[in-house]
Each structure stands twice: as structure tokens, then as C-alpha cells.
Amino acid sequence: MTDAQETAADTSLRTTGGAPPDDVAPAPIPLLEPREGIPPVVASDDALAGVIAAFAAGSGPVAVDAERASGYRYGQRAYLVQLRRDGAGSALVDPVGCPDLSGLGEALRGTEWILHAATQDLPCLREIGMTPTGLFDTELAGRLAGFPRVGLGAMVESVLGYSLEKGHSAVDWSTRPLPDPWLRYAALDVELLIDLRNALEEELDHQGKLEWAQEEFSAIAAAPPAPPRQDPWRRTSGMHKVRRRRQMAVVRELWTMRDQIAQRRDISPGKVLGDAAIVEAALTLPPNAHALTALTGFGHRMGRRQLEQWQAAVDRAKELPDAELPQPGQPLAGPPPPRAWADKDPAAAARLSAARTAVSELAERLNMPQENLITPDTVRRVCWEPPKKLTPDTVENALAGYGARRWQIEQVAPILLRALASEA
């Protein structure tokens, strides 16, 4: 560990500045305004060609953001893409009018992309042909640098001294035309991302963490798309109340029908039927559509045809042979829940306790969240099945096998080895 790393937790971040004296009122934080006004929305191939040419001719990294319509539309597609680059200014691109942005993605190949919370936006950007070859994640940089609040507004305010306008993050971005206040909000999301990136790079370098951050960014950029969830119906809110296999089958049937309807109508599944309604129907097992009407979520606003559809799904589940009913829970791909360790394997429980304490203390010294130092799942897996022979190499190999980055292994392997050895 470098001297800078050892003192990172004991010194205030230079980018945040010191607190004003008690007798001096803090200066008001200026509200950020777009430097060139709100750019026009690009929604045609001709206009997109102009943006591609401008951004290809720009210099330095490119700030990128995307707006989705979560809670309104089915899926997580992008409904607006915002970009900014030195020499090109800002651009707002409509993926509805321009659904293929692969030309823009190609023009930016080899350019560093700056995103805030990159893993949230990369899937929807990938869908429209935009995939970075390298990136800088300002949210993750803030976590590694020890900022207590890492939302974009909080970071811009604490690092750069500007206030971002709030209030439009959860609106329906599939609305057309998009209102000017929403477009202004969207343009501001990339207005200072380049400045924020530069300030955070300086701070990470000062703390001796810049190489760590670069490893994290490279891992995000190289990560393949996440595979589809297995049995996504099991994630229905309130599922913990459903214990019988027949009831689980009702959840599965209702969830599947809801998903099909939502996809066909392109609306959020929750707007078709709420999770609470699905769970209540599963617990109640209504005998007919009339009984279904009495349940929360299936009220008077629902037409008879809809009620009969939902009841048909319930009936299908009730008529399934036992062999086709879902099994309770999913097969565990890793160790059991930690609460069960004391009974199943007391020695493993002791290892986990020692490892958690050591990781917590190290994360505090390094001034970063524990989950960014090493994922809790990795710690659990190594503690549940530690290497048969405990050596620095075997512990390092075990961590690498679970996807830990080189810097994480260098920091965590020594303390994890001591924790495992002490409880061996």
C-alpha cells in the first residue's frame, strides 16, 4: 500500500474543499446552464450524419448518457442519447427516429467514453449499436475515491461546485415530442461530465487508486452482456409468502401471461398487473372469475374478458400434474445463505466472520465501500470452500477464479489468507 493509500481515509478529498467557518454563510451553489443552449433533437438520418461527422472530428473523450422509460414501457430500451465532446459540442439523439446508431458508435471507436453508472446504460446503448472500447465511470470513480454520495448531481456539486436541475429523471422518456424542460435536463447530464472525469482522475491519482479504477473500467468495457435470468418469475415482489408448489405455479402462469401482454402492448408489466395481485391470487387460488374480482388488483376497472384471461391462467396452474409444478427455490449455484452456516459448517461460519471483519477494516482504511474492494459473494465462496492448501498463491488463484481484479487480489489476498488460516 502506498503512503497516499494509507492516508486516504484520514484526509478530506481535495476536490470537495473544506467546510466554511461557523460564522461564514456558505456561498449559494450556482445552477448549471447549458453553455450553447438546448441542442436540437436529432431524429433523421441526415441530421445523424452531421452528428457523426462532428463527433468524429472532435477531440478527447466523449461524455455519453441515455434516458429510458422505466416504469412506463416494456424493457429498458433507450429513448434519448446525449453526447458531448470537445470540438463537437453537445448532441441529443432520438433512437426512435434513428434506431441504428452503429455508425456513431463506429465513429467513436478507440475514444474513451465517460458515463455515470455505466452498467445501467451500456445494455440499452448496445442494443442500438453503441459499445465503447474504453470508458471512465464517474460514479464508480467516486466510490473508489471515497465520496459519501455518488449520484451525478451530488458529484457535480461537491467536485465542481455546480447544482444540476432535478426533477425529470423518472419521467416517461418515450413521450414525443419531448418537452423543452426535459431536453434541458438531459443536455445538462453531459454538460460537465468531462470536467468531472478530469477532476476525479486527479483525485484518484492523488490517492494512489488510479490504476485500480482503470482496471475496473476495463473490466466493465470488456464484460459480455448479462445472460437472461433463469425463472425470472421467481423475482416477483412478495414471493417469499408463496410456499406451496401449486401456488408457485399460479405465480408462474400469471407472471408469464402478464409479460406477454406487456411486451405486446409495449408497456411496463406493472401497469398490466401488479406483483401484489399476482401473489394474492396465488395464495387465494380463486375458483372462478367472480372470486378473482374480489382480490386486490382485479377490481371493477378490469373488464370481464381480462378477468377471464387471468382466471384461465390460474386454472391452468391448478390443473397441472404434480410432476410439472415448480420446485421450491432455485438450485444454489454457490454456498448456502450465511445464516445457515453455523448449523451446516461451524468452521466455515468462523472463517466468514473473520474474513468479513478483515475486509471491513481494510475498506475503512482505504476509504471505499466494502463491495467495491471485493464482492461479498466472492468472500463467501472462498470461505465456504477455501483452497485445500492455504498459501498466497492458492488464495490469489481462488480470488482470480471468481473474477477479482488484480488490484483487488493484491489488497485482499493477504488479509483473507490470515483470516482463513486463523480459523483453519
Side-chain angles (χ1 to χ4, degrees):
M1 186 186 300
T2 67
D3 292 342
Q5 291 161 11
E6 289 176 342
T7 59
D10 300 322
T11 57
S12 61
L13 295 168
R14 294 176 299 119
T15 49
T16 61
D22 292 340
D23 58 344
V24 177
I29 299 174
L31 187 66
L32 184 64
E33 296 288 344
R35 277 173 270 192
E36 298 102 16
I38 303 173
V41 177
V42 174
S44 69
D45 290 341
D46 287 345
L48 178 60
V51 168
I52 292 173
F55 275 78
S59 61
V62 56
V64 182
D65 190 25
E67 304 294 348
R68 299 176 296 280
S70 304
Y72 298 94
R73 295 288 182 175
Y74 185 86
Q76 295 294 317
R77 65 170 293 188
Y79 282 94
L80 189 69
V81 176
Q82 308 100 282
L83 307 102
R84 185 174 181 85
R85 192 180 191 189
D86 287 346
S90 294
L92 302 177
V93 182
D94 179 5
V96 177
C98 302
D100 181 6
L101 298 187
S102 56
L104 179 57
E106 187 61 34
L108 297 173
R109 179 170 294 277
T111 299
E112 179 190 86
W113 294 22
I114 309 168
L115 299 104
H116 193 81
T119 54
Q120 294 183 20
D121 286 342
L122 287 178
C124 70
L125 290 170
R126 189 179 288 117
E127 285 182 0
I128 53 179
M130 297 184 65
T131 303
T133 52
L135 62 84
F136 190 107
D137 186 332
T138 49
E139 186 206 44
L140 181 52
R143 290 181 182 277
L144 296 176
F147 282 80
R149 297 188 302 146
V150 293
L152 181 58
M155 294 289 290
V156 166
E157 186 172 315
S158 61
V159 176
L160 302 176
Y162 285 95
S163 176
L164 283 179
E165 184 177 324
K166 303 176 179 67
H168 300 304
S169 60
V171 299
D172 181 3
W173 287 96
S174 68
T175 301
R176 292 297 182 273
L178 286 164
D180 282 350
W182 298 11
L183 296 174
R184 181 177 179 277
Y185 166 91
L188 289 175
D189 271 357
V190 293
E191 184 81 13
L192 291 181
L193 264 186
I194 297 173
D195 296 330
L196 181 61
R197 173 239 182 268
N198 293 339
L200 288 172
E201 181 181 59
E202 182 181 349
E203 181 59 42
L204 289 167
D205 189 39
H206 173 70
Q207 294 188 20
K209 300 175 181 175
L210 182 56
E211 288 188 7
W212 303 357
Q214 290 168 340
E215 281 190 52
E216 293 296 306
F217 302 155
S218 295
I220 294 173
R229 291 190 186 276
Q230 184 179 6
D231 292 345
W233 58 269
R234 292 184 185 270
R235 297 177 63 84
T236 302
S237 180
M239 190 68 191
H240 63 281
K241 304 174 187 176
V242 182
R243 303 190 180 279
R244 298 178 182 174
R245 294 175 63 199
R246 186 71 57 184
Q247 295 171 333
M248 291 179 186
V250 172
V251 173
R252 182 175 63 184
E253 289 292 334
L254 289 173
W255 188 98
T256 301
M257 174 172 279
R258 179 184 70 172
D259 193 66
Q260 292 169 347
I261 294 171
Q263 188 170 11
R264 185 173 68 248
R265 294 169 55 188
D266 190 19
I267 60 174
S268 170
K271 290 186 176 297
V272 176
L273 188 67
D275 281 7
I278 290 177
V279 169
E280 187 167 357
L283 296 176
T284 308
L285 296 177
N288 51 53
H290 179 72
L292 187 67
T293 309
L295 303 183
T296 303
F298 298 94
H300 62 278
R301 289 184 299 175
M302 193 171 285
R304 180 169 182 79
R305 183 169 175 273
Q306 288 177 294
L307 285 167
E308 289 175 347
Q309 278 186 321
W310 298 122
Q311 184 62 42
V314 173
D315 291 342
R316 283 195 300 273
K318 290 164 68 175
E319 294 165 3
L320 282 174
D322 288 350
E324 296 180 21
L325 296 177
Q327 294 297 324
Q330 292 174 291
L332 288 172
R339 63 180 178 273
W341 286 30
D343 292 331
K344 291 179 178 291
D345 190 338
R351 289 193 295 267
L352 181 61
S353 177
R356 281 174 162 175
T357 299
V359 169
S360 176
E361 291 173 351
L362 178 58
E364 187 172 349
R365 288 199 302 273
L366 294 176
N367 194 28
M368 69 171 65
Q370 295 180 42
E371 62 270 21
N372 291 113
L373 174 59
I374 191 74
T375 67
D377 181 67
T378 297
V379 175
R380 286 194 296 269
R381 289 173 183 268
V382 173
C383 289
W384 184 251
E385 289 188 280
K388 293 181 179 178
K389 184 177 181 182
L390 290 175
T391 68
D393 284 346
T394 60
V395 173
E396 289 176 6
N397 289 338
L399 290 171
Y402 292 125
R405 260 72 71 192
R406 180 176 56 83
W407 75 270
Q408 293 176 315
I409 295 171
E410 290 174 353
Q411 296 299 316
V412 173
I415 65 166
L416 203 53
L417 175 61
R418 288 194 294 270
L420 295 172
S422 67
E423 301 298 331

